[in-house]
Amino acid sequence: MKKAFLIFLTVILVSSAFVGCKSSTSSSDNEDNQTASSKELNIYMWQQYISDDLISKFEKDNNVKINLSYMSDNADAITKLTAGGGQEYDLIMTCDAYMESLVKGGYVEKLNFDNIPNASNINESYWTAKEYCVPYLMNYIYVVYNKDTSPIEIKSYNDLINPALKGQIATIDGARNLFPIALVALGYDPNSTNENEIAEAYEWLVKYNENVVAYGNAEQNLTNGTASVAFTYDGNASWAMAELGDKNNLVIADFDNDPVQLGFDLYVIPKGAKHVDLAEKFLNYITNPEVMAQNLIEYPYSCPNDAAVEVASDTYKNDPARNFDYKQNVFFQKDVGEAMTIYNDYYQKLKVGE
């Protein structure tokens, strides 16, 4: 996937949610929102993350135009939400780590699930702030490597700082993706707010950086041989494995003890959205099992919609990118509050190579 989490601006904006910078919408405003002309639906989300065919079908069936706009990282979505996202968008994609702050700050609308009955297909275990969001897709963030070309077998995060892997690793980016694996490797909470522990994680990541050959595009770097190891999302690993086909020599690192991150992308309706009725109709559409199963053909990430997985293709169900036996040994991103400033300070140092 394309994720690179939070920049400093995000810290400022998300922190404001904790101190109650709540925007309010009167009941009359809500009525205006519901009765506004619903000929357009404006969605802000990740690029290359939803089937064009499914978008076209919804447009045709509902005589509506969907306008998709794209973010480059989660900071963009938080900025939109905290700056009055409902003025521009009817649906915004964010992730589980920020829902607590967004709800407390009053930045998202409470959903009417009478209008989203298909949401009942989503596994309860994969939901946060249930009244305010609908989970879309989820992704394990793990290590995959070429069993023929990797200099070492990988059994833990600490293996990633082995000098033998110098120039061998393709990796996703972002403070809240990278620091957790360093914290786990050091025996700390992946959501630590202790500055000393975060500082130690920074030193670990300096060593990790020495082995990194590329940030992003893990699937291309694995398939073209630029990298023999990748720290990436399961969907990206799936694309790489599928491209290699019968010649696939990629395996998921068989960790002995270390947990892997499981993250969720969620749709929320920003406060003041103009087409709440249509937004909820779209949420019901995308949680329809058949619709989501079709979406998984193009975007084979892990899916929290149990009914969709049940009717998904055999190719999806048997995808080797999700064939590993420690799926219960996971951790989730938690809102670290003001400690995000500490993370970003060290992250910026990491990026400039101090």
Side-chain angles (χ1 to χ4, degrees):
M1 206 185 287
K2 50 278 148 197
K3 302 182 175 177
F5 288 105
L6 298 180
I7 55 176
F8 183 74
L9 174 62
T10 310
V11 181
I12 302 298
L13 294 170
V14 174
S15 295
S16 70
F18 278 96
V19 296
C21 299
K22 183 174 182 178
S23 60
S24 61
T25 304
S26 67
S27 58
S28 60
D29 289 336
N30 280 329
E31 291 173 3
D32 289 341
N33 290 340
Q34 294 288 351
T35 58
S37 174
S38 295
K39 295 300 181 183
E40 292 192 355
L41 182 67
N42 301 304
I43 302 177
Y44 191 67
M45 62 178 292
W46 293 113
Q47 192 170 14
Q48 296 183 327
Y49 206 30
I50 191 168
S51 167
D52 290 339
D53 290 341
L54 296 183
I55 291 291
S56 296
K57 187 176 188 307
F58 184 85
E59 288 178 321
K60 181 179 180 181
D61 290 350
N62 294 278
N63 189 29
V64 64
K65 170 63 177 174
I66 292 181
N67 301 309
L68 292 174
S69 299
Y70 304 112
M71 55 191 185
S72 58
D73 60 34
N74 272 295
D76 296 340
I78 301 301
T79 299
K80 296 292 186 186
L81 285 163
T82 56
Q87 297 302 310
E88 295 181 77
Y89 301 103
D90 305 302
L91 285 169
I92 292 179
M93 185 170 284
T94 185
C95 71
D96 50 332
Y98 311 119
M99 282 306 301
E100 181 180 350
S101 293
L102 292 171
V103 171
K104 284 184 177 180
Y107 297 118
V108 291
E109 294 279 1
K110 185 176 288 189
L111 302 178
N112 181 355
F113 281 94
D114 288 342
N115 297 328
I116 319 172
N118 285 328
S120 63
N121 293 313
I122 296 171
N123 191 309
E124 289 286 341
S125 302
Y126 303 138
W127 216 317
T128 182
K130 184 174 180 179
E131 294 179 304
Y132 295 90
C133 69
V134 170
Y136 174 62
L137 290 174
M138 62 187 189
N139 36 86
Y140 292 94
I141 306 176
Y142 56 28
V143 177
V144 60
Y145 66 96
N146 186 317
K147 63 183 179 181
D148 296 328
T149 62
S150 174
I152 62 171
E153 184 179 8
I154 300 171
K155 307 288 282 188
S156 70
Y157 291 123
N158 272 322
D159 287 334
L160 299 178
I161 61 173
N162 187 320
L165 291 180
K166 185 174 179 63
Q168 294 289 318
I169 300 175
T171 182
I172 56 174
D173 205 349
R176 293 297 286 129
N177 283 332
L178 295 177
F179 276 84
I181 67 169
L183 289 162
V184 169
L186 293 165
Y188 299 135
D189 181 345
N191 294 293
S192 174
T193 58
N194 182 304
E195 183 167 4
N196 290 332
E197 294 176 355
I198 296 170
E200 286 187 55
Y202 161 76
E203 297 295 343
W204 189 96
L205 287 169
V206 169
K207 299 176 184 176
Y208 175 76
N209 255 358
E210 293 175 358
N211 291 343
V212 171
V213 66
Y215 280 90
N217 298 319
E219 59 273 24
Q220 291 94 335
N221 288 312
L222 286 170
T223 55
N224 66 21
T226 299
S228 64
V229 179
F231 174 56
T232 190
Y233 306 96
D234 58 34
N236 296 69
S238 175
W239 285 330
M241 292 175 176
E243 184 173 339
L244 289 169
D246 293 339
K247 297 180 180 179
N248 176 40
N249 47 9
L250 302 176
V251 295
I252 301 167
D254 187 16
F255 279 8
D256 290 329
N257 297 301
D258 291 349
V260 297
Q261 182 174 323
L262 180 58
F264 301 86
D265 288 312
L266 320 161
Y267 279 120
V268 297
I269 298 179
K271 206 70 170 179
K274 296 179 176 62
H275 307 123
V276 174
D277 56 341
L278 192 54
E280 291 180 338
K281 182 176 287 189
F282 181 82
L283 292 176
N284 193 54
Y285 170 74
I286 201 63
T287 49
N288 177 295
E290 298 290 345
V291 170
M292 178 51 75
Q294 186 70 24
N295 194 49
L296 294 174
I297 295 174
E298 288 186 60
Y299 300 100
Y301 294 93
S302 294
C303 181
N305 187 323
D306 288 346
V309 172
E310 186 174 339
V311 298
S313 68
D314 288 342
T315 298
Y316 179 83
K317 291 177 183 177
N318 299 322
D319 193 332
R322 282 179 299 281
N323 184 20
F324 58 104
D325 58 11
Y326 51 91
K327 290 182 180 178
Q328 302 306 311
N329 190 17
V330 299
F331 66 88
F332 302 95
Q333 273 196 25
K334 296 180 181 178
D335 199 323
V336 295
E338 295 179 1
M340 197 64 230
T341 303
I342 302 171
Y343 277 99
N344 277 313
D345 286 345
Y346 281 105
Y347 177 63
Q348 293 305 316
K349 288 176 60 178
L350 184 70
K351 296 303 291 182
V352 298
E354 292 185 5

